[in-house]
Amino acid sequence: MVKPGIREERNILKKLEFSRIPFSGSLWTEKSDGQNKHFRVEVKSTEKKSYSLKKSIWQKIEREALETGKIPLMALDISGLELVVLELEVFKELYRDWKGGISDGRK
């Protein structure tokens, strides 16, 4: 039987089209929950009305992503509200690339 937290982690990773990292968090070599070509993601879910993201947690996610040459990302499910968190500078760069692609006709 799959634990509810693992089930939610798998659902979010599937929606993001990320692969799940086997034994995530249980082996020192395999941190974070999932990844794709560009991002490394940590997934957190709660049935509570809020989730408190501490700077130390983000720094851990960032360190693990940068060690693998990827961009850190956090996916949250707060009572069914699904969100992603990434640094502002990364968002700005992605937005500029996206906006540039639209303005010159690329999709």
Side-chain angles (χ1 to χ4, degrees):
M1 186 168 147
V2 179
K3 294 180 182 179
I6 302 280
R7 186 178 316 116
E8 191 54 45
E9 176 184 304
R10 287 179 179 169
N11 288 338
I12 290 173
L13 291 172
K14 185 176 180 180
K15 289 176 184 180
L16 290 171
E17 299 180 9
F18 282 28
S19 60
R20 186 170 180 268
I21 297 174
F23 309 109
S24 66
S26 60
L27 300 175
W28 70 270
T29 56
E30 296 301 335
K31 303 296 182 181
S32 307
D33 295 315
Q35 63 184 344
N36 70 7
K37 183 178 176 181
H38 304 286
F39 295 95
R40 189 118 175 163
V41 65
E42 182 78 21
V43 179
K44 299 290 182 188
S45 63
T46 182
E47 290 301 317
K48 296 179 181 179
K49 294 181 180 182
S50 65
Y51 176 82
S52 177
L53 174 56
K54 296 180 182 167
K55 185 175 181 179
S56 60
I57 297 295
W58 179 257
Q59 289 170 329
K60 172 192 165 293
I61 296 164
E62 182 177 47
R63 184 175 52 255
E64 292 167 2
L66 296 177
E67 286 172 358
T68 59
K70 298 187 180 195
I71 299 168
L73 184 71
M74 187 165 194
L76 301 172
D77 181 321
I78 305 168
S79 296
L81 174 63
E82 297 172 335
L83 306 166
V84 293
V85 177
L86 71 158
E87 288 186 9
L88 179 61
E89 288 303 314
V90 173
F91 174 79
K92 285 170 47 178
E93 184 177 331
L94 293 171
Y95 181 72
R96 266 193 306 270
D97 290 348
W98 174 75
K99 187 175 164 185
I102 288 177
S103 65
D104 66 9
R106 291 182 289 157
K107 287 192 173 193

